[in-house]
Amino acid sequence: MSAHKKNGFQQNTGLIDFLVKEGVLNQEKAEEVKLKVVQTGKDEEEIIKSLNVVSSQDLAKAKASLNNFDFVDLSTQPLSPEAMAVLPKEIAERFKVFPLSIDRTTNVMELAMANPLDMFAIEFVEQKTGFKVRPLAAEEGQIDEFIAVKYATSLSKEVTEALKDVTTESGYSKIIDVGRQTFIKDEKIAEIVRNILDFAVRARASDIHIEPQEKTTRVRYRIDGILQEKLTVPKPLHDALVSRIKILSGLKIDEKRVPQDGRFNFTEASEDVDLRVSTLPTAWGEKVVMRLLKKTGGVPDLPELGLRGLALKNLEEAILRPHGIIIICGPTGSGKTTTLYSIISRINTPKVNIVTLEDPIEYKIPGVNQVQVNPAAGLTFASGLRAFLRQDPNIILVGEIRDRETADLAIQASLTGHLVFSTLHTNDASGALPRLLDMGAEPYLLASSMTAVLAQRVVRKIHEDCKEEYEADEKVIKEIKEVLGSLWPSNKKDNILYRGKGCAGCGDSGYYGRIGIFEVMPVTEKISRMILERSPAAEIEKQARSEGMVTMKQDGYLKVIEGISTVEEVLRVAQE
């Protein structure tokens, strides 16, 4: 090791050539850096940084590869409050290190280091914590940010404090043991659960997953539709956490062999949240998923959801008719229920009687008679719909059309003067009509009862605070132009699109919040005729497009051009 160390890493004279080989530095810039090294006598890394020719992450990766260290991108790593409880913030700051995980069986701590060759730092951490260090290379700026933010955030700080009290020298001897009814440290478990829930509300999460694995339990949050791992907790705490959640949601603590469902309320600051809880026995223990349903904030209106232009006009015309069927299509998690609630809120007046049959009731709407299906008691979509017709309704919402009986009843209800709303699991609007025919609906009845079909997906919105322009690849622009056709704005000449750079406000994702992309297909005279002829979905779509329907992908690309979302998001949800 003849080369000297600078900022900890071994100063390797092959750094410039390695960066060229990796394709992150072009030959021309490389020659410029080499010339500066000769002229100034400074080392390669210093010159690269001063000229700002390579991103700090690419530089850190290259240094790690040259010195045979694994590189870790901290933004993709979950927090381990257990590891943070072992290594104090002051030591992390002093040596520019961040603890990623600890394994008590092998007594190893994974440590992200700005300088993994700093033997003094490694020895100091080993002596202080009693764990053997496995060093990993990480970007110095990321380590500084993680030390500043993660040690301070409530999720890690509070859980870390609680873990300090729960963990003892002998491991986990003081932990609550439900089996033997020794409820020691129960209040600490309650505190950890509260912090997991607090963080979910602050991070705008829609679901929390608590998943047991072989050595740890991971906590993941679904934020803007994407699961993100934010926390790992020691495996011995798992049963205690699950028991605490079961107590809150009124489930049987001692029943671990079958799935259970429950719910409870939680208040954080001004937010009142209803949590639907589901447990599932897995190989490593019980997995818990909690769906968060905010009671505050109200239902968004149709333009807020992302409906506009001709699609909005067609839907508004359809919902103002006194009878007919309006179907909303899309896979699970595509926002169908939210759209239905938005429509119901729009037409909810004291002059109409609205009844809904849902599984489950997600939001309670004042003035609407909402019914929860209960198959165990014999209340199914079909039997409930039959009962509804004796309740003098004007508007009926059936959560989902799942079988022929429900489809027939929905058609009969619409033909006897009711406005019926429902959902269907099809990929696009045109596919809904053949699906209903496949279920056994009579073509002539379907043709006269269908008013409109709406299909939708949800995409993440670019975070306005860190939005930036970039020049898109020619292939991407060509694809967008082909899909949009005559919808491509004539005044848009350049290849400029938008993306989120990523900042603390959006958790470095570049996205914040979600918006819908839609296609609304009114059932016109020509499409009614195609239903009678049992035309395939592709022909129905072709006809709808000739009548002016904007497809989901087109709506998505229009939102890309306007800088609301990104190409990647539209392709993620709407690519055939």
Side-chain angles (χ1 to χ4, degrees):
M1 297 204 356
S2 55
H4 68 287
K5 289 182 196 173
K6 182 84 178 173
N7 296 334
F9 263 123
Q10 177 183 328
Q11 183 45 41
N12 209 316
T13 49
L15 185 58
I16 298 172
D17 294 332
F18 187 81
L19 287 166
V20 172
K21 194 177 104 189
E22 290 293 296
V24 292
L25 183 67
N26 64 38
Q27 199 62 52
E28 191 185 325
K29 291 281 183 194
E31 296 306 326
E32 188 185 334
V33 174
K34 284 179 180 175
L35 185 63
K36 285 267 188 196
V37 170
V38 174
Q39 287 173 341
T40 61
K42 291 178 180 175
D43 65 52
E44 295 179 350
E45 186 187 338
E46 217 171 318
I47 300 295
I48 291 167
K49 280 182 177 173
S50 69
L51 292 174
N52 200 20
V53 287
V54 172
S55 75
S56 53
Q57 189 171 49
D58 284 337
L59 186 60
K61 274 185 188 170
K63 283 157 58 186
S65 294
L66 273 174
N67 290 286
N68 296 318
F69 282 106
D70 288 333
F71 176 82
V72 62
D73 178 358
L74 292 187
S75 65
T76 64
Q77 297 296 308
L79 287 180
S80 170
E82 188 185 17
M84 291 164 72
V86 169
L87 188 75
K89 182 183 180 184
E90 299 71 40
I91 295 174
E93 280 175 334
R94 180 176 160 193
F95 294 110
K96 291 202 182 297
V97 298
F98 189 84
L100 292 176
S101 67
I102 55 173
D103 186 336
R104 291 185 182 275
T105 52
T106 56
N107 211 42
V108 170
M109 170 187 279
E110 285 197 334
L111 194 66
M113 304 180 70
N115 167 19
L117 284 166
D118 187 344
M119 294 314 295
F120 177 71
I122 291 171
E123 283 168 22
F124 190 94
V125 170
E126 286 182 341
Q127 282 178 359
K128 181 75 182 169
T129 63
F131 284 88
K132 184 157 177 47
V133 166
R134 180 180 167 236
L136 298 162
E139 191 190 330
E140 191 174 319
Q142 265 194 345
I143 290 177
D144 289 340
E145 186 188 335
F146 260 58
I147 294 167
V149 176
K150 304 301 180 186
Y151 270 98
T153 57
S154 171
L155 182 65
S156 57
K157 189 179 173 190
E158 303 300 332
V159 176
T160 302
E161 289 304 313
L163 283 173
K164 271 183 187 168
D165 290 344
V166 173
T167 311
T168 62
E169 283 72 29
S170 59
Y172 295 94
S173 58
K174 285 190 184 176
I175 287 178
I176 169 177
D177 184 333
V178 178
R180 290 197 293 274
Q181 301 296 313
T182 50
F183 289 90
I184 305 166
K185 295 292 175 194
D186 193 9
E187 73 284 358
K188 288 296 167 191
I189 299 297
E191 201 178 306
I192 292 172
V193 170
R194 179 165 189 92
N195 283 300
I196 287 171
L197 297 176
D198 272 346
F199 182 83
V201 174
R202 286 203 316 278
R204 304 171 296 105
S206 61
D207 301 83
I208 307 168
H209 292 237
I210 298 173
E211 302 170 302
Q213 292 175 302
E214 188 176 3
K215 293 179 178 171
T216 59
T217 288
R218 68 176 178 180
V219 181
R220 295 196 290 172
Y221 294 87
R222 193 176 290 282
I223 301 169
D224 291 333
I226 306 291
L227 272 175
Q228 299 177 20
E229 193 172 340
K230 292 287 185 185
L231 183 68
T232 59
V233 292
K235 185 66 185 285
L237 278 181
H238 180 78
D239 284 350
L241 285 177
V242 173
S243 297
R244 173 66 189 162
I245 292 163
K246 281 182 168 182
I247 289 165
L248 289 170
S249 42
L251 303 179
K252 293 175 184 168
I253 296 177
D254 53 348
E255 181 55 88
K256 299 181 180 185
R257 299 161 304 166
V258 295
Q260 296 187 66
D261 293 303
R263 62 196 306 159
F264 66 95
N265 278 359
F266 174 72
T267 305
E268 199 272 328
S270 58
E271 295 272 19
D272 197 10
V273 182
D274 195 18
L275 286 110
R276 281 212 325 264
V277 180
S278 167
T279 68
L280 183 74
T282 71
W284 301 114
E286 282 185 286
K287 175 180 172 176
V288 177
V289 175
M290 293 182 272
R291 163 67 58 91
L292 283 79
L293 303 166
K294 288 185 184 176
K295 292 181 175 180
T296 43
V299 177
D301 63 21
L302 295 172
E304 272 180 74
L305 295 177
L307 275 157
R308 63 228 183 129
L310 187 62
L312 179 60
K313 180 174 170 283
N314 285 336
L315 182 64
E316 284 178 330
E317 281 176 7
I319 65 179
L320 291 174
R321 288 194 189 177
H323 54 82
I325 299 179
I326 296 168
I327 299 275
I328 298 183
C329 308
T332 306
S334 59
K336 299 188 297 291
T337 308
T338 305
T339 302
L340 277 176
Y341 281 157
S342 187
I343 292 169
I344 292 294
S345 300
R346 176 76 169 265
I347 55 182
N348 181 18
T349 70
K351 294 177 182 176
V352 292
N353 175 22
I354 303 176
V355 283
T356 76
L357 191 58
E358 302 172 55
D359 181 23
I361 296 169
E362 294 200 5
Y363 296 97
K364 297 192 173 65
I365 308 172
V368 175
N369 306 288
Q370 292 170 277
V371 178
Q372 164 91 43
V373 298
N374 185 352
L379 178 53
T380 61
F381 282 125
S383 66
L385 191 45
R386 233 184 242 105
F388 277 6
L389 296 174
R390 297 191 288 274
Q391 285 281 320
D392 185 31
N394 300 98
I395 295 157
I396 298 171
L397 187 157
V398 188
E400 191 186 335
I401 294 177
R402 291 180 183 169
D403 51 37
R404 178 177 182 168
E405 193 181 3
T406 314
D408 285 346
L409 284 164
I411 290 169
Q412 290 303 328
S414 74
L415 292 173
T416 51
H418 304 92
L419 184 56
V420 181
F421 293 95
S422 193
T423 68
L424 206 58
H425 286 279
T426 60
N427 288 332
D428 50 26
S430 55
L433 302 170
R435 171 67 60 87
L436 289 166
L437 292 172
D438 288 346
M439 278 184 190
E442 292 293 345
Y444 65 96
L445 293 177
L446 194 61
S448 52
S449 62
M450 289 299 294
T451 306
V453 185
L454 178 151
Q456 68 177 83
R457 301 286 189 278
V458 280
V459 293
R460 291 183 290 170
K461 289 199 293 188
I462 297 170
H463 188 209
E464 284 296 328
D465 292 356
C466 62
K467 185 168 164 180
E468 63 175 9
E469 292 183 349
Y470 73 100
E471 197 163 329
D473 193 281
E474 279 293 340
K475 278 189 204 159
V476 174
I477 296 294
K478 189 172 173 235
E479 145 85 355
I480 293 175
K481 280 183 176 172
E482 275 174 14
V483 170
L484 288 179
S486 60
L487 295 172
W488 175 266
S490 54
N491 58 351
K492 186 172 175 63
K493 298 284 188 283
D494 51 27
N495 292 357
I496 297 297
L497 293 180
Y498 305 87
R499 63 186 171 202
K501 199 188 281 185
C503 63
C506 59
D508 283 326
S509 68
Y511 297 101
Y512 191 93
R514 292 192 288 172
I515 195 165
I517 57 172
F518 299 89
E519 61 185 32
V520 176
M521 185 179 82
V523 179
T524 59
E525 209 172 304
K526 282 185 178 171
I527 290 175
S528 291
R529 205 170 300 127
M530 295 177 89
I531 296 172
L532 290 170
E533 293 163 3
R534 291 182 176 265
S535 298
E539 282 182 30
I540 294 173
E541 183 181 312
K542 192 177 172 188
Q543 177 59 36
R545 288 181 71 168
S546 73
E547 292 174 9
M549 180 182 85
V550 175
T551 67
M552 254 184 308
K553 202 170 184 184
Q554 287 176 329
D555 188 32
Y557 279 158
L558 287 169
K559 282 167 179 155
V560 167
I561 290 170
E562 289 167 40
I564 297 169
S565 190
T566 63
V567 176
E568 292 79 10
E569 275 298 288
V570 173
L571 292 177
R572 179 175 69 84
V573 301
Q575 184 71 295
E576 294 303 308

